[in-house]
Amino acid sequence: AQSVAQPEDQVNVAEGNPLTVKCTYSVSGNPYLFWYVQYPNRGLQFLLKYITGDNLVKGSYGFEAEFNKSQTSFHLKKPSALVSDSALYFCAVRDKPSNTGKLIFGQGTTLQVKP
Amino acid sequence: EAQVTQNPRYLITVTGKKLTVTCSQNMNHEYMSWYRQDPGLGLRQIYYSMNVEVTDKGDVPEGYKVSRKEKRNFPLILESPSPNQTSLYFCASSTARSSYEQYFGPGTRLTVT
């Protein structure tokens, strides 16, 4: 069965420092991977996705993610964190078979960026 | 504007009183899903629909019903709500044309007392 793990419940970084939010996956075949962000009292917003091609994917708000097939990881990164990046981040993988339209989500990682 | 809408946004109800949460999308997406979000558990799929009149159970379907009579609408029905259904609910739509990227509604916070 497909699964996603986010090993950290919370990540704390100082504003201006680089940030990494970790995600590992377990899927059969080639994965479709996604990152979403949830701000307080808001729905989930799409950040970026990896389907195929370049292992480094660039997304919204300056975020990027690196697909590493050998380590089955898809870590979210940003070179310089902003206080406004503080939110709940979810990694997700497309379920298979794909005709369910379903994504399997990790449990989420709270990112806290301090001034 | 492309969007998924849900109503109501907040709902407090009592055990056993039937309720419906509506969901509508304007993107002509074939797939629609309902998720519930609980602390520490991420998002779990309740039901999904692959197109009009085609629905199936997700991971946590007990106590819920859905219907898909029109492509744009996908209501979630709780026939007899119980306190363990207190949660944050999200409707989402997607299409194979965008690699199943999910578009989420703003969420419905349900409290069952």
Side-chain angles (χ1 to χ4, degrees):
Chain A
Q2 275 59 240
S3 65
V4 169
Q6 294 179 242
E8 301 156 317
D9 290 335
Q10 182 157 329
V11 171
N12 298 310
V13 298
E15 187 174 32
N17 283 0
L19 70 87
T20 299
V21 183
K22 296 180 180 177
C23 172
T24 59
Y25 65 89
S26 174
V27 302
S28 56
N30 296 319
Y32 284 20
L33 295 159
F34 303 82
W35 275 102
Y36 286 83
V37 61
Q38 185 181 26
Y39 297 102
N41 300 314
R42 301 283 294 276
L44 277 75
Q45 297 178 32
F46 171 78
L47 280 178
L48 51 80
K49 65 184 176 185
Y50 172 82
I51 306 301
T52 188
D54 194 348
N55 289 344
L56 186 62
V57 180
K58 294 190 182 299
S60 306
Y61 313 121
F63 284 93
E64 58 189 27
E66 185 170 10
F67 172 67
N68 187 316
K69 188 171 185 177
S70 63
Q71 298 186 3
T72 62
S73 67
F74 189 55
H75 301 333
L76 181 70
K77 301 181 180 184
K78 188 173 183 181
S80 179
L82 300 172
V83 172
S84 57
D85 292 329
S86 299
L88 181 59
Y89 291 80
F90 289 99
C91 181
V93 64
R94 185 195 66 169
D95 195 19
K96 293 184 179 182
S98 63
N99 63 349
T100 67
K102 173 184 174 182
L103 295 186
I104 298 172
F105 287 84
Q107 74 273 30
T109 298
T110 298
L111 174 65
Q112 189 78 31
V113 182
K114 297 183 178 176
Chain B
E1 179 189 356
Q3 61 181 349
V4 178
T5 57
Q6 292 178 232
N7 283 292
R9 294 288 313 278
Y10 302 91
L11 180 59
I12 301 174
T13 189
V14 297
T15 299
K17 186 176 181 181
K18 181 180 179 179
L19 66 92
T20 299
V21 184
T22 64
C23 172
S24 183
Q25 51 96 3
N26 62 0
M27 296 168 280
N28 201 36
H29 284 172
E30 64 270 31
Y31 295 98
M32 296 186 75
S33 292
W34 277 102
Y35 294 87
R36 61 178 289 173
Q37 182 182 5
D38 301 290
L41 297 177
L43 278 82
R44 294 177 293 169
Q45 191 187 53
I46 302 170
Y47 268 94
Y48 65 93
S49 171
M50 293 173 280
N51 219 316
V52 176
E53 302 291 3
V54 182
T55 64
D56 208 347
K57 297 176 180 178
D59 297 319
V60 288
E62 293 77 21
Y64 305 95
K65 286 177 60 177
V66 294
S67 67
R68 188 101 180 266
K69 294 184 171 57
E70 305 166 281
K71 197 170 187 179
R72 64 186 293 123
N73 297 324
F74 191 46
L76 179 69
I77 303 159
L78 284 72
E79 298 250 343
S80 183
S82 62
N84 64 11
Q85 294 178 296
T86 293
S87 188
L88 180 58
Y89 291 87
F90 289 102
C91 181
S93 71
S94 63
T95 176
R97 297 186 300 276
S98 65
S99 305
Y100 307 96
E101 171 193 331
Q102 305 260 304
Y103 293 74
F104 283 87
T108 296
R109 185 166 293 281
L110 172 65
T111 301
V112 183
T113 61

